Amino acid sequence: MKPDSSVALKKRVALITGGGRGIGAATARLANKKGWSICINYQSRNDSAEKLVDEINESGGSAISVKADISKEADVISLFNTVDKFGKIQALINNAGVIAPQSPLVDVSADRLHKIFNTNIVGSFLCAREAVKRMSTGRDGHGGSIINVSSAAARLGSPHEFIDYAASKGAIDTMTIGLSKEVAEEGIRVNAVRPGLIETEMHLDAGDINRPQKLKKFIPMKKVGSASDVANAIVWLMSDEASYVTGALIDVAGGR
Ligand code: NAP
């Protein structure tokens, strides 16, 4: 279903990268309930992104989907130009991310490193750059909020599994701290959530869809998290209730 663009222009617009499924989709559903207009970015799974857009528009909300590979600068620029036509961006959720099958560092290829770092780090930086250009009160923007989806892996290091993925999330934590200070006087808050073991398809790409259940015994709360658990923290950070929160790294990991 086509969104009514006059509705989007009145509402606050949130861009969710990788918003078609998993944590991004749960965030889109909750943000829609809280009155946000949503731009759902996806890379290849247009089926799930389109289905979610229809669901939101049929519920009386306003959503569009935009295909873009966030690791490519031209795609990111075109994505933000499309968002500009939809409405004024007030929240960026830097959620898109990739992992790779469990492996010790000695077996890791340069191709794998480039894919993880280009998506998780370069992609998130490029999206943050374009968001700051539009939100900054120093550049005719109205302010806004950036939420980076990091990982508990950033502090655990993920030995024998994916040190590269963990390191990419460490970079995201550092970007969150630095950028939050850089743009604090420009009306932009920058925060991160660090999910622990969350039940999504990402674990299939990590080589074992049952990984969260197998590691459950190491979680102090003894339960695996859901995409909605993470969405609750993200949507709170987007809200005015979090208006004095910036530079925060919020663990959503059941105590792990
Ligand atoms: P997911 O279900 O595998 O979803 C990943 C999303 O990222 C998909 O929507 C995918 O798009 C998108 N994506 C991947 N590469 C992209 C690219 N180059 N350009 C644009 N979009 C791209 O995973 P998830 O668990 O929801 O993960 C969301 C975020 O949470 C990630 O940053 C992940 O690192 C983080 N996280 C997850 C967990 C966990 O346990 N699940 C824990 C800690 C952190 P398509 O749908 O088009 O493929």
Side-chain angles (χ1 to χ4, degrees), residues 20 26 49 61 79 126 128 130 132 158 170 192 196 223 254:
L79 166 65
L126 291 173
E130 293 306 308
V132 168
S158 306
K223 63 176 185 182

Side-chain angles (χ1 to χ4, degrees), residues 101-109 112 158-164:
Q102 291 152 310
S103 168
L105 179 64
V106 287
D107 295 325
V108 163
S109 69
R112 166 175 163 145
S158 306
H160 311 291
E161 291 195 309
F162 14 72
I163 299 175
D164 42 8

Side-chain angles (χ1 to χ4, degrees), residues 145-157:
S145 168
I146 297 172
I147 292 105
N148 295 318
V149 182
S150 172
S151 172
R155 53 185 168 71
L156 296 170

Side-chain angles (χ1 to χ4, degrees), residues 18 21 23 43-45 69-70 95 165 169 196 198 200 203:
R21 56 197 174 96
I23 292 169
Q43 181 186 25
S44 56
R45 295 271 293 269
D69 177 346
I70 58 146
N95 167 74
Y165 169 80
K169 296 300 186 176
I198 309 296
T200 71
H203 299 284

Side-chain angles (χ1 to χ4, degrees), residues 66-68 73-83:
V66 184
K67 180 179 167 75
E73 186 171 26
D75 277 25
V76 171
I77 289 169
S78 156
L79 166 65
F80 275 80
N81 286 340
T82 306
V83 175

Side-chain angles (χ1 to χ4, degrees), residues 179-250:
L179 187 61
S180 70
K181 293 174 181 167
E182 193 165 294
V183 298
E185 285 185 276
E186 297 171 44
I188 306 171
R189 297 183 296 106
V190 186
N191 293 290
V193 292
R194 296 197 293 196
L197 289 159
I198 309 296
E199 205 92 68
T200 71
E201 287 175 307
M202 172 163 272
H203 299 284
L204 203 57
D205 299 330
D208 185 1
I209 192 69
N210 297 317
R211 184 172 168 268
Q213 292 300 336
K214 283 182 188 162
L215 294 175
K216 193 164 76 174
K217 58 179 178 285
F218 300 115
I219 305 171
M221 286 179 75
K222 300 287 181 272
K223 63 176 185 182
V224 172
S226 70
S228 300
D229 289 328
V230 185
N232 284 330
I234 294 173
V235 175
W236 175 74
L237 284 168
M238 289 161 69
S239 77
D240 294 338
E241 288 171 16
S243 60
Y244 198 53
V245 181
T246 198
L249 311 174
I250 298 186

